[in-house]
C-alpha cells in the first residue's frame, strides 16, 4: 500500500456480535459491525474509511438508482485449521470487478483500495469470521455511481463499499432445476459476464415462475434460440457424463466464475477429461433419458458446489443419481474445503492468509 493511502477508522460504540447465533446464519440476514467506504472523485479514490455499518445517504437522483451503474463481487473469509483468517483467490475478484467496471463505464479499482480496504475491515471485524468450517464471512464489495443527475450518461463519481455478512450454507438441500426456454438473464453482446445488478434483476421474474412450479432455480439457455446451456440460477453449471466434466465455454453472457475456474483446474490435475464447449439442451436431455448423467451441479462463491436433485424439461422431471454416488462433486466439494482449511496442500497458491 502506498504511503499516501490512509484509512480512517471510526469504530462502533455498540457491537452486535453478541446478538448473533453462529449456529443459525441464513444467507444475508446479519451484517458485521463495520463497513469500508471509499469515494472516487476528480479521477482518484479518496477518503477511505471504515465506519459502523449504517444506511447510505444518497441523492434520490443518484445515477446508480436509475440506470443500474452498480457492480459487485462476492467472496468469502474462512478460518483455517490454525484459526487464521483466509481468503480464496481475492486477486481474481479484483480482476473481475474491474472487468465489470470496464463494461459498465465505471472507475477502475486499485489494489490498495480493494485489498487494503478489505484487509483492514477483516482486522477490525475478525471476530465475525465464523469458526464452523461449513460457515464463512461472505464479503460483498460493490460500487455505485453517485453523480446526481438523471441524464443517461456514465457517472464521474463513484462510491466503493465493502460489507460483510456471516453465513452458513447457501442451499440447505439439493436443488431442483428446470430449463428456461423463453426468458433470458443475459444476451450476446450484453452484460451477462459482468457482476452487475441488472443481470440479477432480469432473473427474478422467470425464477419466480419456476419456484411457483416447484423448482428452486432455472437453467439459463442462450437468448437467441434457447438451445444451448449457459448458467443455472446465480451459478455456473457443470455435468459429468461418460466420466468427462463438461461445462459451457465462457462467452459474454456467462460469468467467469472463480469457483468454476478452480474446479476445472483441479479436475485436470486429477486426470479428468474436461470439456469447455457449447452444450445443447438436447444433448443433456438425451443423456438424462439414458441415465448417462453421473453428476450435475451449480458452482459459485456463495453455494460453492450445489448438487442438482433433478432437472425438469418439457413437463418431465429427470431424477439424478443419489448424492452419495456423485464421486466427482463430493470429492471436489471436500477438496475445495480442505484447501481453504489448510488440510491439504494449496498447490495453486489460491489461499491468501490474512495477517
Ligand atoms: C455468488 O456466488 O457469490 C453469487 O454471486 C451469488 C449471489 C448473487 C448471492
Amino acid at each position: 500500500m502506498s504511503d499516501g493511502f490512509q484509512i480512517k477508522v471510526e469504530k462502533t460504540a455498540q457491537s452486535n456480535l453478541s446478538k448473533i447465533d453462529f449456529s443459525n446464519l441464513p444467507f444475508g440476514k446479519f451484517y458485521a459491525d463495520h463497513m469500508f467506504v471509499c469515494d472516487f472523485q476528480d479521477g482518484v479514490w479518496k477518503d477511505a474509511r471504515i465506519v459502523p455499518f449504517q444506511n447510505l445517504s444518497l441523492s434520490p437522483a443518484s445515477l446508480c438508482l436509475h440506470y443500474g451503474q452498480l457492480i459487485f463481487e462476492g467472496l468469502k473469509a474462512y478460518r483455517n485449521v490454525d484459526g487464521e483468517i483466509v481468503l480464496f483467490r481475492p486477486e481474481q475478484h479484483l480482476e473481475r470487478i474491474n472487468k465489470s467496471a470496464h463494461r459498465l463505464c465505471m472507475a477502475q479499482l486499485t489494489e490498495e483500495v480493494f485489498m487494503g480496504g478489505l484487509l483492514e475491515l477483516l482486522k477490525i471485524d475478525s471476530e465475525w469470521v465464523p469458526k464452523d468450517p461449513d460457515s464463512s464471512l461472505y464479503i460483498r464489495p460493490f460500487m455505485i455511481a453517485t453523480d446526481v443527475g438523471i441524464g443517461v450518461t456514465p457517472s464521474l463519481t463513484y462510491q466503493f463499499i465493502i460489507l460483510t455478512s456471516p453465513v452458513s450454507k447457501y442451499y440447505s438441500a439439493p436443488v431442483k432445476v428446470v430449463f428456461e426456454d423463453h426468458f433470458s438473464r443475459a444476451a450476446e453482446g450484453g452484460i451477462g459476464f459482468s457482476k452487475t445488478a441488472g443481470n440479477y434483476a432480469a432473473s427474478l421474474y422467470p425464477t419466480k415462475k419456476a419456484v411457483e412450479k416447484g423448482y428452486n432455480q432455472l437453467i439459463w439457455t442462450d437468448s437467441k434460440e434457447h438451445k444451448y446451456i449457459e448458467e443455472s440460477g446465480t451459478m455456473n453449471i457443470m455435468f459429468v457424463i461418460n466420466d468427462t466434466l463438461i461445462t459451457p465455454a465462457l462467452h459474454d453472457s456467462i460469468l467467469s466464475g472463480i469457483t468454476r475456474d478452480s474446479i476445472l483446474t483441479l479436475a485436470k490435475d486429477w486426470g479428468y477429461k474436461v470439456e469447455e464447449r457449447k452444450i445443447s439442451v438436447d444433448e443433456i436431455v438425451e443423456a438424462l433419458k439414458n441415465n448417462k448423467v453421473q453428476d450435475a451441479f451449480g458452482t459459485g462463491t456463495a453455494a460453492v458446489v450445489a448438487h442438482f436433485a433433478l432437472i425438469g424439461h418439457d413437463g418431465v422431471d429427470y431424477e439424478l443419481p443419489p448424492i452419495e454416488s456423485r464421486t466427482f462433486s463430493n470429492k471436489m466439494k471436500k477438496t475445495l474445503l480442505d484447501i481453504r482449511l489448510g488440510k491439504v496442500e494449496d498447490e495453486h497458491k489460491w489461499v491468501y492468509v490474512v495477517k
Side-chain angles (χ1 to χ4, degrees):
M1 205 174 299
S2 73
D3 292 344
F5 188 72
Q6 301 291 334
I7 303 176
K8 261 187 282 157
V9 177
E10 178 199 337
K11 286 205 186 164
T12 182
Q14 189 65 56
S15 170
N16 284 319
L17 191 59
S18 63
K19 297 184 198 147
I20 307 297
D21 172 4
F22 275 81
S23 65
N24 180 21
L25 297 171
F27 190 85
K29 179 146 187 214
F30 305 112
Y31 294 92
D33 284 331
H34 299 91
M35 61 190 199
F36 172 77
V37 184
C38 195
D39 297 319
F40 185 81
Q41 281 163 7
D42 306 319
V44 286
W45 288 102
K46 53 173 73 160
D47 197 13
R49 56 209 186 267
I50 285 175
V51 292
F53 184 87
Q54 60 191 263
N55 291 344
L56 303 178
S57 169
L58 282 180
S59 161
S62 298
L63 276 181
C64 62
L65 300 177
H66 299 271
Y67 307 122
Q69 254 196 316
L70 188 166
I71 54 175
F72 68 96
E73 269 303 315
L75 64 162
K76 285 176 172 172
Y78 302 81
R79 278 189 192 277
N80 66 15
V81 282
D82 297 324
E84 294 167 312
I85 296 174
V86 299
L87 298 165
F88 191 70
R89 308 185 75 182
E91 73 296 339
Q92 293 292 313
H93 291 273
L94 170 59
E95 200 176 290
R96 191 169 67 183
I97 201 169
N98 276 335
K99 280 190 189 144
S100 301
H102 180 75
R103 179 63 179 84
L104 276 285
C105 292
M106 299 173 76
Q108 290 287 298
L109 277 158
T110 60
E111 190 178 336
E112 67 182 1
V113 172
F114 186 91
M115 284 305 292
L118 176 55
L119 296 179
E120 191 64 22
L121 186 62
L122 288 174
K123 204 162 89 186
I124 290 173
D125 280 337
S126 60
E127 290 304 309
W128 286 82
V129 182
K131 297 185 175 62
D132 180 328
D134 275 335
S135 302
S136 59
L137 188 68
Y138 186 80
I139 300 163
R140 174 52 62 89
F142 66 105
M143 193 200 299
I144 54 175
T146 48
D147 269 11
V148 175
I150 50 171
V152 183
T153 180
S155 184
L156 294 175
T157 62
Y158 295 93
Q159 191 161 74
F160 174 62
I161 300 173
I162 307 177
L163 52 85
T164 66
S165 169
V167 297
S168 189
K169 289 185 178 145
Y170 192 71
Y171 290 113
S172 51
V175 188
K176 297 177 190 167
V177 295
V178 60
F179 284 109
E180 175 56 60
D181 60 8
H182 175 69
F183 294 105
S184 303
R185 71 172 275 286
E188 203 177 307
I191 52 175
F193 70 92
S194 313
K195 223 163 163 54
T196 183
N199 292 323
Y200 297 80
S203 76
L204 296 178
Y205 179 75
T207 306
K208 180 168 160 256
K209 293 286 203 206
V211 170
E212 283 164 9
K213 291 185 189 142
Y215 299 99
N216 307 111
Q217 280 297 351
L218 291 166
I219 297 182
W220 299 106
T221 51
D222 76 281
S223 61
K224 265 193 199 154
E225 302 176 279
H226 297 289
K227 229 170 133 177
Y228 295 100
I229 294 171
E230 301 214 312
E231 295 190 5
S232 179
T234 60
M235 303 175 289
N236 294 117
I237 186 167
M238 296 191 178
F239 301 91
V240 178
I241 299 174
N242 292 332
D243 293 322
T244 302
L245 178 66
I246 57 173
T247 193
L250 293 178
H251 59 92
D252 57 9
S253 54
I254 297 182
L255 185 84
S256 166
I258 293 153
T259 312
R260 175 189 181 279
D261 178 73
S262 310
I263 291 178
L264 296 181
T265 304
L266 289 176
K268 286 176 200 160
D269 289 353
W270 297 347
Y272 264 82
K273 204 168 156 218
V274 173
E275 293 177 0
E276 291 179 74
R277 59 170 170 84
K278 277 189 156 188
I279 307 171
S280 71
V281 176
D282 287 351
E283 174 185 348
I284 296 301
V285 172
E286 197 54 29
L288 287 166
K289 283 183 181 161
N290 295 310
N291 294 320
K292 292 263 181 193
V293 179
Q294 297 156 285
D295 215 332
F297 54 94
T299 81
T301 299
V304 188
V305 169
H307 291 116
F308 295 160
L310 59 81
I311 301 182
H313 178 257
D314 245 352
V316 181
D317 287 343
Y318 297 92
E319 296 281 342
L320 288 158
I323 304 300
E324 320 78 72
S325 72
R326 314 262 189 107
T327 326
F328 179 83
S329 55
N330 288 329
K331 182 176 171 193
M332 186 56 74
K333 204 171 173 173
K334 180 166 179 346
T335 305
L336 286 170
L337 183 65
D338 285 351
I339 291 174
R340 287 171 175 139
L341 294 178
K343 283 186 171 174
V344 295
E345 208 194 320
D346 174 23
E347 284 177 24
H348 298 282
K349 305 281 167 266
W350 285 337
V351 174
Y352 183 106
V353 180
V354 177
K355 294 290 177 198

